[in-house]
């Protein structure tokens, strides 16, 4: 028997991007473990990925190309050959590419975060055709934009410093579920005496384990941040030297923050004025003592109307107290700008024909946009959509519209997948893609600072092919002759990072494949001496860029679209705020079909506060209908004060076809966009709940 260990990388959309050791015995992957030497992975994987072989060898894996033989959505397919599949797709795309390429739309997200199997060959293909661009907003663009307005770059505290912080504020994140390796370091900090505070409307697994939990109303974080500024300034818990040297607009900020008394903040956020004052004092006094405080924001904070502003406001706090002076201090949402990615080389936007019009479609409004007719302002109606690395029928907001759109008889749909997902059911052509164990890739991350290499551990299962190979075949069939369409995956990976950049001077693909990971060369406390990426080079309390974009240039409060305060008529009919953050054992909609993980999650639940349950005669275990004007779905009641009064929580994202009513939480979410960055507002949703008849 031959047995060896292959170095690989977890491909999922998770900040931890773990280094994996895959045990391969006689060509079969038998175990997937965390690399004990990789500093952030530390030999530990989450439950999901420790079951990776169960997902890889799942009996439902797509193993050969298929074409639809039933109605759209019905999920009936017949096997065809690769030649036939490629010929059918090219036959459909060729006339569109010749006459109205904007009618072709890619739809993809982060099913894999790999730079090769993500957006390399695929983007080259769509650019060369002159297809519509997809604005990939569904997760992080609101917060990313707010972060950049204030700090100029998506950079922040290195996760490897976390254990040295004295105060850790976990703001809109649930790291036990979604950022485990950060949480491991938080535990170490706690053992060394650090104080942990969670800011979350829901008593998540993480909030439960913090010293303090501030359960504000969803979508009100920007007001809380303004209240903290108010108290920090009023009680002079400031680092005046840091403010003077490295920030812009303090006097204007002082005036703005003066409007946000703890009482006003308390009323806006549904918490007490004492909570606001105490949090500000804990935070400010930590700075006065010369100790490190870190605010770990996560994306849960920005899935509401004012999501961008919330992140922007929170990002002002460490500059006020001088927390950036410490390697373990400051803030973090994402570290992704630390990676000098060669995006132009990977994706070749220059291939887009110069004489053709361009159009960008926002992936968060896919329901509406696939239903739009040709018009002067929209351009041609979308006639072909190629989905890879994403499952829009389950994950995109206002699902009823998304399903109606994918059911269009005149929409040609291709889906590249591992499994027959809810989206795959609507495909005209369904193509089998390889998993991370079957292809090579190179990864940047957003939660740590290592470049990561993924070697193929096993041969592709069945007739599955890597995304890159599928787009290479399509490019050939469409007669695209540029050299870049014949580059191998190794050749693409070797160009992924810019070696001229100080962070990646040591990058070399061949040696990275051997070592598995290599840390960027980045200073320990990135903003200790200022050096922000903003136009002024300072932390911008006042942002001229925001003013130019038509936004309030100062930290402000933007109310949710759907709340009692902002829309009382709507709230009279749908009084409960609903959020649907990730379930611990799924990764977005990935893993929902892995039996052992689904068994752990059980079935779709809705957490509801005892008061709200009593008003509706709801008992634990009751089957509930959750509804608003957009749609409805069913879940089983968990009556618990983990959900604050007025809030219901439906952990997500279930495959519709694996729920008993064939629906999920996105039936009720909406397609309205955030204040900046064009992001979705999944957690800005009012509903009513009733017992099922
Ligand atoms: N196990 C697991 N891990 C994951 C994922 C997964 O599906 N499962 N998904 C991955 C992806 S793509 C992402 S983007 C991240 C997401 O993970 P996180 O960035 O942690 O974000 P969310 O899970 O959306 O929300 C985290 C917390 O924010 C809270 N929250 C909701 N609304 C608000 C609000 O208005 N204000 C505040 N302060 N808190 C709020 C929620 O109750 C939740 O407990 O996790 C990644 N990791
Ligand atoms: N209600 C609600 N909705 C949400 C969220 C929420 O919190 N609540 N979270 C939102 C967020 S943060 C995000 S990021 C999105 C995530 O939405 P998606 O990016 O669509 O993520 P997944 O649901 O994990 O689907 C990824 C798909 O890609 C496939 N895949 C993986 N690797 C490969 C590959 O190499 N090749 C091919 N062809 N396919 C591959 C997987 O099998 C999987 O079906 O969902 C959003 N939707
Ligand atoms: S999902 Fe996250 S925690 Fe789990 S193995 Fe992947 S990177 Fe690590
Ligand atoms: Mo996400």
């Amino acid at each position: 028997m031959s047995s060896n260990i292959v170095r690989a990388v977890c491909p999922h959309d998770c900040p931890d991007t773990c280094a994996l050791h895959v045990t391969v015995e006689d060509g079969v992957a038998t175990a997937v473990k965390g690399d004990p030497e990789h500093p952030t992975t530390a030999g530990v994987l989450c439950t999901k990925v420790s079951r990776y072989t169960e997902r890889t060898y799942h009996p439902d894996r797509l193993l050969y190309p298929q074409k639809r033989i039933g109605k759209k959505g019905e999920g009936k397919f017949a096997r065809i050959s690769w030649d036939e599949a490629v010929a059918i797709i090219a036959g459909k795309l060729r006339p569109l590419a010749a006459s109205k390429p904007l009618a072709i739309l890619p739809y993809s997200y982060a099913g894999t975060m790999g730079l090769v199997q993500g957006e390399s060959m695929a983007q080259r293909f769509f650019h060369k055709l002159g297809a519509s661009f997809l604005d990939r907003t569904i997760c992080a663009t609101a917060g990313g934009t707010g972060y950049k307005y204030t700090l100029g770059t998506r950079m922040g505290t290195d996760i490897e410093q976390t254990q040295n912080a004295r105060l850790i504020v976990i703001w809109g994140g649930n790291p036990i579920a979604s950022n485990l390796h950060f949480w491991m370091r938080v535990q170490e900090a706690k053992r060394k005496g650090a104080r942990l505070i969670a800011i979350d409307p829901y008593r998540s697994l993480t909030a439960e384990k913090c010293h303090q939990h501030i359960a504000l109303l969803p979508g009100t974080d920007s007001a809380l941040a303004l209240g903290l500024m108010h108290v920090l300034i009023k009680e002079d818990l400031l680092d005046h030297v840091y403010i003077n040297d490295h920030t812009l607009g303090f006097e204007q900020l002082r005036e703005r923050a003066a409007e946000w008394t703890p009482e006003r903040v308390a009323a806006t956020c549904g918490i007490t004025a004492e909570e606001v004052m105490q949090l500000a004092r804990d935070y400010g006094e930590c700075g006065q003592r010369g100790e490190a405080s870190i605010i770990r924001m996560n994306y849960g904070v920005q899935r509401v109307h004012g999501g961008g502003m919330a992140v922007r406001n929170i990002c002002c706090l460490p500059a006020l107290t001088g927390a950036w002076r410490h390697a373990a201090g400051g803030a973090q949402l994402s570290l992704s700008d630390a990676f000098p990615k060669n995006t132009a080389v990977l994706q070749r936007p220059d291939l887009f024909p110069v004489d053709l019009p361009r159009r960008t479609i926002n992936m968060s409004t896919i329901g509406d946009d696939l239903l739009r007719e040709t018009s002067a302002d929209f351009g041609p109606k979308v006639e072909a959509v190629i989905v890879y690395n994403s499952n829009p029928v389950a994950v995109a907001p206002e699902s009823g519209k998304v399903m109606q759109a994918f059911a269009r008889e005149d929409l040609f749909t291709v889906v590249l997948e591992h499994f027959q997902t809810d989206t795959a059911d609507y495909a005209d052509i369904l193509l089998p893609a390889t998993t991370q164990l079957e292809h090579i890739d190179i990864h940047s991350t957003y939660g740590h600072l290592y470049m990561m290499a993924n070697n193929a551990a096993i041969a592709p299962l069945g007739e599955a092919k890597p995304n890159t190979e599928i787009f290479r075949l399509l490019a050939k069939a469409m007669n695209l002759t540029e050299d870049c369409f014949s580059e191998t995956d190794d050749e693409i990976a070797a160009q992924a990072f810019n070696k001229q950049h100080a962070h990646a001077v040591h990058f070399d693909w061949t040696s990275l494949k051997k070592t598995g990971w290599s840390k960027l060369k980045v200073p320990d406390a990135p903003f200790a001496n200022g050096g922000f990426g903003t136009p002024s080079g300072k932390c911008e309390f006042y942002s001229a860029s925001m003013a130019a974009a038509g936004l309030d240039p100062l930290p402000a409060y933007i109310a949710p679209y759907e709340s009692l305060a902002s829309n009382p008529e709507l709230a009279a009919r749908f009084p409960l705020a609903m959020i649907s953050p990730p379930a611990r054992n799924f990764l977005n909609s990935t893993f929902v079909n892995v039996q052992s993980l689904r068994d752990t999650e059980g079935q779709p639940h809705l957490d509801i506060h005892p008061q709200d349950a009593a008003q509706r005669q709801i008992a634990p275990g009751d089957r509930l209908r959750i509804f608003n004007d957009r749609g409805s779905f069913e879940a089983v009641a968990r009556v618990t004060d983990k959900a604050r009064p007025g809030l219901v929580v439906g952990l997500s994202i279930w495959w519709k076809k694996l729920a008993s009513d064939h629906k999920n939480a996105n039936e009720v979410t909406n397609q309205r966009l955030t204040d900046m960055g064009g992001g979705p507002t999944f957690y800005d949703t009012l509903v009513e709940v009733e017992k099922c008849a």
Side-chain angles (χ1 to χ4, degrees), residues 12-13 55 108-112 117 138-139 299 303 387-392 394-396 416-419 421 431 433-436 439 467 578 580-582 587-590 652-653 655 665-666 669 682-683:
H12 293 295
D13 189 352
R55 183 176 189 273
S108 65
Y109 199 63
T112 169
Q117 306 305 336
I138 201 147
C139 176
Y299 289 103
R303 306 196 200 288
V387 180
Y388 52 101
N389 303 341
S390 185
N391 183 11
V395 308
L416 284 59
E417 253 300 349
H418 299 152
F419 293 103
T421 59
L431 301 175
T434 46
T435 69
Q436 188 80 340
H439 55 229
N467 291 342
M578 187 195 86
S580 48
L587 202 132
N588 301 323
S589 75
T590 304
S652 289
I653 309 169
W655 279 28
N666 279 321
T669 57
F682 290 111
Y683 304 167

Side-chain angles (χ1 to χ4, degrees), residues 96 100-105 130-133 352 357-359 380-382:
L96 289 176
K100 46 178 168 178
L102 293 181
I104 302 171
L105 178 72
S132 284
F133 292 93
F352 197 97
R358 291 162 184 249
R359 168 172 75 183
K381 132 190 210 180
V382 177

Side-chain angles (χ1 to χ4, degrees), residues 33-60:
K33 299 225 161 71
D35 180 345
E37 320 249 273
H38 181 239
T40 61
T41 307
V44 176
L45 298 181
C46 63
T47 359
K48 308 174 289 288
V49 174
S50 0
R51 308 284 168 77
Y52 224 64
T53 53
E54 188 180 345
R55 183 176 189 273
T56 309
Y57 296 108
H58 195 296
D60 297 343

Side-chain angles (χ1 to χ4, degrees), residues 148-153 242-248 319 324 526-543 545:
K148 279 192 151 183
Y149 277 135
T150 309
L151 305 176
T153 171
Y242 194 92
I243 292 171
N244 190 57
D245 292 351
H246 305 306
T247 73
L248 185 74
W324 289 117
F527 304 130
N529 302 305
F532 292 95
T534 53
S536 64
K538 304 201 167 191
C539 171
E540 296 199 350
F541 299 146
Y542 178 92
S543 164
S545 315

Side-chain angles (χ1 to χ4, degrees), residues 405-676:
F406 275 95
R408 266 178 50 199
E409 277 307 327
D410 60 345
L411 179 70
F412 177 67
T413 303
V414 180
V415 175
L416 284 59
E417 253 300 349
H418 299 152
F419 293 103
Q420 194 175 327
T421 59
D422 291 330
T423 306
D425 283 345
Y426 290 85
D428 291 286
I429 301 292
L430 180 52
L431 301 175
T434 46
T435 69
Q436 188 80 340
L437 299 193
E438 299 149 66
H439 55 229
I440 66 158
D441 216 326
I442 183 165
H443 288 247
S444 61
T445 89
Y446 58 103
H448 63 64
L449 294 168
Y450 292 82
M451 302 179 278
M452 310 286 291
N454 183 71
N455 294 287
I458 55 172
L461 298 196
E463 295 180 8
K465 291 185 191 296
N467 291 342
T468 42
E469 180 60 17
I470 298 174
F471 284 103
R472 260 182 227 114
L473 289 172
L474 290 174
K476 194 162 174 228
M478 302 282 290
N479 302 319
L480 311 185
T481 52
E482 280 77 4
D483 289 347
C484 71
F485 290 111
S486 46
E487 273 177 14
T488 64
D489 288 3
D490 271 305
E491 284 166 341
I492 299 171
Q495 305 171 72
F497 297 117
N498 175 8
K499 287 197 257 194
Q500 312 308 323
H501 193 286
H503 292 178
V505 276
H506 55 308
F507 167 59
D508 173 67
W509 173 236
T510 312
S511 51
L512 190 66
K513 281 214 289 188
K514 292 198 192 99
T515 56
W517 38 269
S518 168
K519 195 169 185 180
L520 296 173
K521 299 197 186 302
V522 182
D524 262 356
F527 304 130
N529 302 305
F532 292 95
T534 53
S536 64
K538 304 201 167 191
C539 171
E540 296 199 350
F541 299 146
Y542 178 92
S543 164
S545 315
M546 291 180 75
L551 298 162
D552 192 327
L554 287 169
Y557 171 61
I558 296 172
Y561 289 116
E562 301 191 359
S563 70
L564 178 60
S566 62
N567 194 340
E569 292 94 77
L570 189 71
R573 291 195 295 137
F574 305 115
L576 298 168
M578 187 195 86
I579 58 173
S580 48
R584 184 180 189 176
N585 295 289
F586 303 151
L587 202 132
N588 301 323
S589 75
T590 304
F591 296 106
V592 180
N593 64 328
V594 174
Q595 190 69 45
S596 63
L597 294 169
R598 192 164 74 255
D599 287 348
T600 316
E601 287 296 331
Q603 51 186 330
H605 286 104
L606 191 80
D607 287 13
I608 182 167
H609 190 273
Q611 257 167 314
D612 295 316
Q615 276 172 20
R616 294 165 179 80
Q617 284 91 47
I618 290 170
D622 281 350
R623 210 169 170 78
L624 305 178
R625 193 173 83 93
I626 301 100
F627 62 98
N628 60 22
D629 287 335
R630 291 177 289 267
S632 71
F633 72 103
E634 293 178 13
V636 172
R638 278 197 300 220
V639 177
T640 164
D641 66 357
K642 287 182 184 178
R644 55 164 290 154
L647 179 79
V648 291
V649 182
L651 298 180
S652 289
I653 309 169
W654 281 80
W655 279 28
K656 296 180 173 189
K657 63 169 95 173
L658 296 177
S660 58
D661 63 338
H662 291 208
K663 290 179 175 178
N664 73 13
N666 279 321
E667 303 290 335
V668 297
T669 57
N670 75 81
Q671 292 185 72
R672 293 177 83 172
L673 299 176
T674 50
D675 54 340
M676 55 184 89

Side-chain angles (χ1 to χ4, degrees), residues 118-138:
E119 304 298 347
S120 67
M121 202 54 87
Q123 288 284 345
R124 295 174 181 182
F125 177 76
F126 293 109
H127 286 148
K128 179 66 194 171
L129 294 188
S132 284
F133 292 93
L134 185 75
D135 199 0
R136 292 177 173 78
T137 55
I138 201 147

